[in-house]
Amino acid sequence: MAQTLPDSPPIVIAHRGASGERPEHSLLSYDLAITQGADFIEPDLVSTKDGVLVARHENNIADTTDVADHAEFADRRTTKLIDGREETGWFTEDFTLAELRTLRVRERLPQLRPGNTGYDGQAQIPTLAEIIELAKRRSAELGRTIGIYPETKHPGYFASIGLPLEPPLLAALREAGWDRADAPVFIQSFEVDNLKALHRETPVRLIQLVAPFGKPADGGAQSYAAMVTPAGLAEIATYAFGIGPEKSMILPDWNGDPTSLVADAHAAGLRVHPWTFRTENLFLPPALRGSDTAPDGAMEREIARYIGIGVDGFFTDYPYLGVRARESALAPDRAE
């Protein structure tokens, strides 16, 4: 049976923090995102050897830290099979938290975002507890609630090596008093079975991530394509609050019409939070690209169109532009 969703302004989700302007997944990045008006900050969670959750986009930290400069960790460099793909580098699960604390964060995309390299070496890898503390402290300072939107990265892999991500995540949320359906938290995953298990264990809102191709690494569904059919969305609605699709799944062609995904998800009672909006030409539709780095307004135009299509939130590397785009897109409604 179709459900009617309540009207509310789309939320601005700071993708890895303000990662367009600070090295991703650092307290520098999260703090700037909060200052810029983000509603939620997004940490991707992986585990240390001693079971502590820390924020990294991947468990391979070769490109996001200075680990290669540490001779004492040279013998930790290795090759692993992660979700069917061979990876070479240094992995968080081979380091204790104390060892990771000796490393410093670096910009992941230095050629694309050279300005961010000025912050290399200034921050440590943050723990989930530190990110929650930051969100709570800044919420009190600013008089508005800043939430967290953690993604469990490679949960099946981590469970297979005896370091499941979900128990310490739920423990941290309980410690924070954020184990309620109305807590300022969304838990997201590209896998399926861990979300279904979480649905049985916590009332916290869950988001099923989906991609334009492939299938969940845990085999929890035949394909992402099958998951975004009306039948697939109805199944997702049995355990999740919403979906997080890659943005092209909603609007494949800037000059064309949107797909029915937003309408179909809403009909199933699901919210829709697409990813990821960025200013750089590499990530913009061809029609919005500039001669070099596209002007900020191009991404704002892009976001405004998605808001017009009906999304309930969106991920962006530039939260202040996301906030500005939302204000602009909703201005006519406020004037009525």
Side-chain angles (χ1 to χ4, degrees), residues 89-123:
W90 290 262
F91 297 83
T92 58
E93 64 269 25
D94 296 330
F95 293 79
T96 65
L97 178 62
E99 289 172 330
L100 285 182
R101 289 298 202 192
T102 67
L103 307 179
R104 293 297 180 268
V105 171
R106 285 182 172 174
E107 170 56 36
R108 185 175 62 91
L109 302 171
Q111 294 179 323
L112 192 64
R113 294 170 174 171
N116 286 6
T117 62
Y119 299 92
D120 286 355
Q122 295 187 21

Side-chain angles (χ1 to χ4, degrees), residues 78-263:
T78 188
T79 298
K80 299 189 179 190
L81 193 65
I82 310 294
D83 293 347
R85 188 172 69 178
E86 199 171 80
E87 295 272 348
T88 298
W90 290 262
F91 297 83
T92 58
E93 64 269 25
D94 296 330
F95 293 79
T96 65
L97 178 62
E99 289 172 330
L100 285 182
R101 289 298 202 192
T102 67
L103 307 179
R104 293 297 180 268
V105 171
R106 285 182 172 174
E107 170 56 36
R108 185 175 62 91
L109 302 171
Q111 294 179 323
L112 192 64
R113 294 170 174 171
N116 286 6
T117 62
Y119 299 92
D120 286 355
Q122 295 187 21
Q124 294 177 314
I125 296 174
T127 65
L128 173 60
E130 290 171 335
I131 295 165
I132 292 173
E133 190 281 329
L134 173 68
K136 288 197 161 198
R137 176 168 52 81
R138 293 304 310 278
S139 295
E141 291 172 0
L142 297 172
R144 65 180 182 88
T145 300
I146 294 108
I148 66 168
Y149 204 125
E151 178 185 347
T152 57
K153 298 293 293 192
H154 311 298
Y157 166 78
F158 275 104
S160 75
I161 61 171
L163 292 169
L165 305 175
E166 293 78 17
L169 172 56
L170 294 181
L173 295 178
R174 284 193 297 271
E175 176 71 19
W178 282 355
D179 53 351
R180 316 178 312 273
D182 63 346
V185 180
F186 294 94
I187 301 173
Q188 55 177 329
S189 180
F190 278 104
E191 296 187 18
V192 175
D193 290 342
N194 70 316
L195 287 182
K196 288 183 175 180
L198 282 167
H199 176 66
R200 295 189 292 269
E201 297 173 21
T202 179
V204 170
R205 294 169 292 183
L206 308 177
I207 300 293
Q208 177 67 66
L209 296 174
V210 290
F213 49 83
K215 62 182 180 180
D218 65 348
Q222 178 184 358
S223 67
Y224 289 122
M227 294 176 75
V228 296
T229 63
L233 292 167
E235 167 63 19
I236 291 172
T238 65
Y239 62 88
F241 180 83
I243 60 170
E246 197 275 331
K247 63 182 182 177
S248 71
M249 300 175 74
I250 294 172
L251 189 63
D253 181 354
W254 178 257
N255 297 313
D257 295 325
T259 68
S260 63
L261 180 56
V262 172

Side-chain angles (χ1 to χ4, degrees), residues 290-308:
S291 57
D292 186 12
T293 298
D296 294 342
M299 190 192 80
E300 291 180 62
R301 284 176 55 202
E302 185 184 22
I303 290 172
R305 184 165 183 195
Y306 279 77
I307 290 174

